[in-house]
Amino acid sequence: MNRRELLAAAAAVLAGTATPDPLVRLLDGLGASGVPGRVGRSEVEAVRQATTVYTTMDLRYGGEVAADVSSGALRWAVSLLDAPMRADTRMELCEAVGALADRTAWTHFDSGRTHSARRLSTLALRTADEGTDPDLRAHVLLNMAAQIGDALPGEAVRLVESALSDQRVCGSERANLHAGLAGHLAKTGAHDDALRHITQAEKLAERGGDRPEWAGFLTAEHLDSIITLALASAGEDDEAIRRFEDLIPRMGADRLRGKAGRMIDLAGLYAKVGRSDEARGLADQAGAALSFVRFTRVTDRLATLHCCLIAGK
C-alpha cells in the first residue's frame, strides 16, 4: 500500500462526514500549507479527527503503516501551538495534540522505533499536561510504561501507579491502568499484587461507563485482552488460555493487529503447557494474519515463537 492509498484509506474512515479544510491538510502531512494566522475550533477538530483516523489505521493495518503519515500530521499539529488563539482553544488544542502524539508514539513503538517512540511520548505527556484531561495523561503514562515494561518492570510499575493516583481518571481508563499494572507487577514477581489489580480491573470493566472521545479503542474486548495478558504474565495459564480462546473469535478485521498478537500469545501458552500441535497451528494462522499487517513487534515475537517450537520438536 503506497502513501496515496494510505491517505485514501484514512479519508474513507471519514466517509459521510463534512471534512474541514484543516483536516484535509492534516491527512496530507501538511507539507505545503502554512500555519493559519489564528487557530480556532476547526483546527482543533482537525487534530481530533486525525487521531481517530490514524488510530483506525493502526488497529487495522499496524504501526508501520500509520507511523509515517501520522508523524507528518503531528508535525503540523505541533506547529499550531505557536499560532495565536484564545486561552480555552489553546487548552483544547494541547489535549488534541497530546492524543495525536500518544497515538503516533505507539505506532513508532510497534514499528520498532524505540528512541523516537520515547521522544514522542514525552511530547504527548508535555502537551497533555497543558490541558485538563486526566484520562489522556494517565493513558500516556500507561503507554510509556509499556515501552519499558519488559526491561524495567519496576519503573513501569511506578509510572502506572502515578497515573492511578489521579482519582479523576474515568472507570474505563482505570480498568486499563489496573490491568496494565498487574502485568508489570507480575514481571517483578509480585504475583499476589498482580492478581489483586486484575480483580480491580475486572470490576471496573464490568461497570463500563463513559470513555474519552479519543479512546474509542477502549472497548470491552480491549480490556478483556489486557486483563488476559496480565493473567498470562502472572502464570495463570489455564485461565489465560480459556479467556484467549473466547476472545480471539470476537476480534474482527478492524482489530487485526491486536488479533494477530493475541493469537501469538495463545500459541505461546499452548507451547508452554505442552499442546505443541495446537501451538504450531495457531502460529501458522497468526503468520497468515500478519500478511495483512505491518507490525514489527509482533512479527519479531512470531519469529521467536517459531524458533522455540522448532527447538521443542
Side-chain angles (χ1 to χ4, degrees), residues 215-247:
F217 58 87
L218 202 57
T219 61
E221 286 76 21
H222 172 87
L223 293 175
D224 191 4
S225 177
I226 304 303
I227 290 169
T228 306
L229 283 172
L231 284 165
S233 294
E236 301 294 319
D237 298 341
D238 291 343
E239 179 63 9
I241 287 171
R242 183 191 69 78
R243 291 181 65 143
F244 275 140
E245 289 175 339
D246 175 71
L247 170 65

Side-chain angles (χ1 to χ4, degrees), residues 189-213:
H191 178 267
D192 291 344
D193 286 341
L195 293 184
R196 178 169 57 85
H197 282 282
I198 287 171
T199 299
Q200 285 292 103
E202 289 181 316
K203 288 179 179 177
L204 288 165
E206 287 173 4
R207 292 178 196 168
D210 296 336
R211 62 190 179 200
E213 180 182 350

Side-chain angles (χ1 to χ4, degrees), residues 17 37 60 63 84 105 127 144 167-168 194 204 206 227 250 254 260 282 300 303:
T17 68
R60 172 61 183 84
T127 49
M144 292 175 78
Q167 297 303 312
R168 300 171 299 165
L204 288 165
E206 287 173 4
I227 290 169
R250 292 188 280 117
D254 59 328
L282 194 55
D300 289 347

Side-chain angles (χ1 to χ4, degrees), residues 76-90:
W76 188 81
V78 169
S79 75
L80 293 175
L81 296 169
D82 293 328
M85 68 193 81
R86 290 170 33 157
D88 58 341
T89 301
R90 181 172 298 280

